[in-house]
Structures are given as C-alpha cells and as structure tokens.
Amino acid sequence: MRVAIAGAGNVGRSIAQELIENGHQVMLIERQPKMLRPDRVPAAEWVLADACELTSLEEADIAGCDVVVAATGDDKVNLVVSLLAKTEFAVPRVVARVNRAENEWLFTDQWGVDVAVSKPRVMAALVEEAVTVGDLVRLMTFRQGEANLVEITLPPTAPYVGRPIHAVPLPRDSALVAIVRGKRVLVPSPDDPIEAGDELIFVCTAEVEDDVRAVILGPGSVERTRERG
C-alpha cells in the first residue's frame, strides 16, 4: 500500500517504521522544519508541507494513496486532514489519532474518519484489562462500519472453558479474531479449546456486545456489568 502520514512526531515515525518493515510505501508529511528528521526513518519519503492545505496535499499526490493517517498531536489538524483526504481526494481509508478524550465524539465518518484511535482510551483499556478478568473491554472503534474491537479475559468459571471454539455459539455480526495466551498470539481454529486466562479478541458490532458477553461469560454477566455502571 501507499500510505501518507500527517505528523512526523514520535507517533507518526513509529507508525511509518512499522509499515515500512511490512513492505508498504510511506510518505511522512510534516509542517515544522525542525521535525524533519529523515535519518530517523530513511526509507520513508519526507515532505515539508502543511497537510491542512489543499495545494500541499495535491502536490503530495494524496489521491494516489491507499491510506491516510492523521497522526499529529492536534485534534483539530487531524480532523481537517481526515476531512480533506476523504472528501477532496477520495482516499479509501482514513485513520485518525484522537489526542483528547473529550474530542473523541467528533471523529466519525462525517469528518472522513474510518478508524479513530484514541491513545488514552487504548491505554485505559489495557490498564482495565490488566485488573479486570471476566468483563468485556472495548479497545478500538471502527467508525464507518460501526464495529468494535473488544477483549474478554476468561475467568475459570466461564461456561466454555475447556471447550473447542466451534462449540461456542457466537451471535451474528461477531467474530473471534485472536487469542492471546501468555506471550503467544494464536489464530483461532474451530477445534482449538479456550482456556482460563485466555484473552479473547473479537470484532463485533456495538449492538451484539452484550450478546457476546453473555455467551462467553454467562447470562448473568450483562446484568452485573449494568449494576456496576
């Protein structure tokens, strides 16, 4: 893929490096000359420009990108970049960084955002995950498809512990996409059993989150969660 990243700070550079290592073409767009550090990610194309200006994006050939990542530390900038990339250049996929939790509600498809990544929310979810066994934790929201990436850490009392995945009656619009077991990440296959302590990673719509929770943790888990909330 050809990927443009607006913002060449620590976040933008780390994303660029990972994408390059995975074989993608990456262009970093940065408006502050002091942040232009091609030696940090030498395999990337570096552009000194303001990603909020149409002419800059035209010169960078944003229309030829498969993905645009708005990764600056300013939410207003990330929203403008996302909107321009989607509406003016019809970029197929726009990923935006959310810096302030109170702005998260703005990062929707109306602003051209396909995937909003809230760093504080992901960090909070991971902290919550570390202390919460037996509950559903939302890690990420895919805005355009109204789907969520969610995690459940299995307690020993979960109804399907020791049973194969094909025996778990997941609801429609949900899929088990990974199992984290200790330091290993497993791609689920139907005959694999699930074990106490497993972190199950699902993609599902918001409407079926309670159904997934009820299946994996038992019917009473939904009511307990509502009582705590």
Side-chain angles (χ1 to χ4, degrees), residues 12 20 33 51 66 68 79 89 91-92 97 109 114 156 163 172 176 189-190 201 208:
I20 289 167
D66 301 291
V68 164
L79 284 170
F89 299 97
V91 175
R97 172 188 177 189
D109 55 352
D114 295 310
R163 302 280 300 279
R172 289 182 59 186
L176 176 63
S189 64
I201 312 295
V208 302

Side-chain angles (χ1 to χ4, degrees), residues 31 50-54 56-57 76-78 80-81 84:
R31 64 180 177 179
D50 186 344
C52 291
E53 293 184 357
L54 270 175
S56 298
L57 296 179
K76 296 188 293 295
V77 170
N78 290 344
V80 171
V81 171
L84 291 176

Side-chain angles (χ1 to χ4, degrees), residues 129-130 132-137 151-155 158 195-200 216-217:
E129 171 196 331
T132 304
V133 175
D135 201 1
L136 181 147
V137 178
E151 182 269 352
I152 298 176
T153 300
L154 282 184
E195 301 177 2
D198 280 354
E199 298 175 41
L200 306 183
I216 299 301
L217 298 173

Side-chain angles (χ1 to χ4, degrees), residues 9 15 18 28 33 45 50 69-70 76 98 104 118 144 146 161 175 178 186-187 200 210 215:
I15 295 170
E18 186 168 344
L28 278 161
E45 176 187 353
D50 186 344
V69 181
K76 296 188 293 295
V98 186
E104 191 172 357
S118 172
Q144 194 173 43
E146 298 183 357
V161 167
L186 309 175
V187 178
L200 306 183
D210 281 350
V215 167

Side-chain angles (χ1 to χ4, degrees), residues 178-199:
I179 299 174
V180 181
R181 183 173 295 161
K183 294 183 178 180
R184 299 176 60 206
V185 178
L186 309 175
V187 178
S189 64
D191 295 325
D192 289 338
I194 55 176
E195 301 177 2
D198 280 354
E199 298 175 41

Side-chain angles (χ1 to χ4, degrees), residues 95-106:
V95 179
R97 172 188 177 189
V98 186
N99 295 278
R100 299 179 66 86
E102 62 266 30
N103 295 331
E104 191 172 357
W105 65 276
L106 287 166

